[in-house]
Structures are given as C-alpha cells and as structure tokens.
C-alpha cells in the first residue's frame, strides 16, 4: 500500500483520560495534512452471564451524550501496561459486585480508528457470585439483568447505541447462543 | 438517577475532524471534576452486500493505529446536519465505486461514549452496480469482497478490530443470515 509518513506529532492538550495531539502527515501524493490523534490508555470490558443466561448490564449517565446509557461493565486501564484481564475482573467487581469463576477473552476492538488508538479487550465472565459494589467516587451505576433477546431488540430499536456493548452482545450471541 | 450537572464546557483545541473540550462537572456527591469531551459531527457507514452475499470491504492506512485496517466503507458527515443516508450513499460510491438499488438503516452506534459524542448510522446496501471510485485526495483504499463467515473468523482472530465494522458485520449476520 502507498506510504503515509508522519512528519510530526505534537501534544496540544493533556486531558483527564486522554491526550489530544495534532499530527502532521505526508500523504502518498506528496501533500502535507494536519490530522487529529487522541491517545488513550485502553480499557477492558466484561460480558457477565449469570446462571440463567442473563447478561448483567450497567446504566449510567454519560456526559458526552448528556443522557443515560445501558452498557456492559467497563473501565479504563490503570496505566497502559495493566493487563486487561485484571482490569476486567476489577471493573466487574467494582461496578456490579460480581466475581466470576471463569473469564475468557471474547473480542478485541478499537473504538474509533479514524482518530483514536483506544483499544478495548472484552471478556466473557461466567460462574458469577454476587457481592457488593465498590464504585469510584464519581461513578453512579444501576445494575440490571437482561436476556440476549431483550438486548438484541434494544440494539435494533436504537435503545442501546454504545459500540462496545453492541459488538459484545452480538459476538456473545453469535458464538454461544446458536439456535 | 442522581444528577450530574455541567458547570462549564470550554473549547481547548479546534481540530481537523473534531473539537476537544474540557468540561467542568458537578457530580452527585457535590464534588467538581474535569472531564474530557470530544465533539464530532458524526458519520455514516455502509454494509454493501453483493448478489453472491459477499460484503464489500475497504482496507486503508489508519494513522491513529499506525497500520492498515479492514473496515466497512464509512465517512464523516459534510456538516452535522447532512442526512446520514445521503452520506452513506456518497461514501459507498466514493470509496468502492458501487451504487445500490436498495438502502436501509441497519444500526446506529456511538463509538466511544466515555468521552465523544460521535454517532454513526450504519446502512445495509443491496442491489449493487459497479462503477469507478472517486476518492478524496488523502484517501488510498483497497477494495475486497468477503463472505460473512470469513469476516466472522477475522473478528474472533483479532484481524478485524474496528468497532463499527464488528458491530455491523455481526448485526448483518444476526438479522439476515439465520442458519
């Protein structure tokens, strides 16, 4: 494939969970362009499935959309080198109170490849035991259990729009819920 | 749900395809926090399915990941008020050369709800007719046709990681490819 060459990467702003850079790129025709780059440490997410086959979901306020969203449990890594499996186990416990006897990688996704390097490893968690939540002080989360069919309906009705949640629910359904 | 209150939203940097803001948020316990907000005009994407049931995909270099990615055709809206259906038809033509006799909404997703308002309407396009690409001057795209099974394997093997593409391929498979 033709070669794109990054001539410069300049930090413009250091944010709370991301850094915003302006890149200078030489495109294959020789022209030079300014492109956005968001650097993110990455995250982990979990599809927690209870013994009745229901998925444990969290509802929370999302400032970027100015509304509540229904999502799988997830959270940013504690530094870019934290193993995502550890982060998944931690976020599951913190946000839902559940611990899991079995955890395995379901899917890896990059949220928005046009401008961010954010990568999320999504784990399947089964053999759940209930416990108490340990939310961060700025987290307010409601928990609910839903069947795969309920979640699929919400996806096609536009009631679930979070990309990682849509990808994770449909991957779980495709891989583990064959008719 | 407890109330989060946005006290301020300050533009920090105006980028090429996004604006970076710093928000000041009063969280329900009364504390005040600084949160990142990326404002994006939104985008449209297409799952183009040919008469043999193969999906037309594009491979392109992504600076944010510093590698090539295999994705469904997609592109940003021309201004936040452009109808996403028009953008989907345009991006399909520009990136692949194909026009479609039939186009319908498959899915709406938000790429990364923790910090961005980016929303993508994903359309299903069928009844395809080949034509010539009309790429933007900084676009270099290779086209390929893949079966749903080939794409599903690539998703679980981690060869396709783009979130909109994973969500779209699995939604198409779930909705239209029942065994």
């Amino acid at each position: 494939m033709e070669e794109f060459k990054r001539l410069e990467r300049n930090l413009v702003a250091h944010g709370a969970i991301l850094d915003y850079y302006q890149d200078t790129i030489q495109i294959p025709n020789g022209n030079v362009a300014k492109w956005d780059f968001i650097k993110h440490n990455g995250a982990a997410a979990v599809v927690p499935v209870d013994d009745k086959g229901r998925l444990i979901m969290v509802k929370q306020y999302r400032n970027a959309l100015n509304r509540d969203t229904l999502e799988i449990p997830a959270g940013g890594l504690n530094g870019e080198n934290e193993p995502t499996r550890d982060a998944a186990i931690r976020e599951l416990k913190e946000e839902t109170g559940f611990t899991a006897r079995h955890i395995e990688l379901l899917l890896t996704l990059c949220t928005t490849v046009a401008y961010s390097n954010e990568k999320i490893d999504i784990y399947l968690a089964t053999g759940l035991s209930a416990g108490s939540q340990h939310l961060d002080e700025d987290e307010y989360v409601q928990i609910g259990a839903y069947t795969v069919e309920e979640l699929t309906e919400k996806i096609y009705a536009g009631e679930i729009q979070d990309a990682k949640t849509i990808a994770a629910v449909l991957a779980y359904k495709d891989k583990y819920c064959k008719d």
Side-chain angles (χ1 to χ4, degrees), chain A:
Chain A
M1 195 162 272
E2 299 84 354
E3 203 187 343
F4 287 79
K5 196 171 170 189
R6 188 185 311 139
L7 304 177
E8 282 186 62
R9 166 159 291 177
N10 291 311
L11 179 65
V12 177
H14 178 63
I17 60 164
L18 56 83
D19 292 324
Y20 170 62
Y21 292 83
Q22 203 165 61
D23 287 356
T24 305
I25 306 289
Q26 184 177 304
I27 61 179
N29 67 10
N31 288 354
V32 171
K34 298 281 185 189
W35 285 3
D36 304 305
F37 174 57
I38 301 290
K39 186 167 186 292
H40 186 282
N41 274 340
V46 193
V47 178
V49 183
D50 73 12
D51 292 347
K52 294 178 181 162
R54 296 175 310 180
L55 278 62
I56 311 299
M57 306 285 290
V58 296
K59 186 181 271 190
Q60 62 191 308
Y61 174 75
R62 288 300 197 175
N63 169 60
L65 303 179
N66 195 29
R67 61 174 167 84
D68 291 348
T69 57
L70 189 64
E71 303 174 33
I72 56 172
L77 305 185
N78 284 341
E80 59 190 333
N81 295 320
E82 186 187 28
T84 56
R85 195 174 188 281
D86 297 352
I89 291 167
R90 183 189 63 238
E91 292 295 333
L92 177 63
K93 174 65 182 161
E94 284 183 2
E95 294 194 350
T96 72
F98 283 100
T99 51
R101 276 199 309 279
H102 185 72
I103 190 154
E104 67 180 68
L105 186 67
L106 175 64
L107 202 64
T108 296
L109 61 75
C110 296
T111 55
T112 182
V113 299
Y115 58 84
S116 172
N117 71 340
E118 185 187 18
K119 187 172 160 178
I120 306 181
D121 281 345
I122 304 174
Y123 290 85
L124 175 65
T126 52
L128 303 182
S129 304
S132 54
Q133 284 176 307
H134 295 281
L135 295 170
D136 293 339
E137 67 160 17
D138 62 351
E139 277 187 320
Y140 291 79
V141 166
Q142 289 177 342
I143 303 171
Y146 301 83
T147 65
V148 172
E149 284 308 325
E150 286 170 339
L151 295 174
T152 305
E153 279 171 28
K154 286 179 186 295
I155 289 168
Y156 296 130
E159 291 167 34
I160 292 178
Q161 295 190 333
D162 174 50
K164 70 175 177 303
T165 299
I166 295 175
V169 168
L170 293 177
Y172 171 70
K173 184 177 183 184
D174 178 60
K175 223 171 165 177
Y176 295 95
C177 308
K178 294 289 184 194
D179 304 322

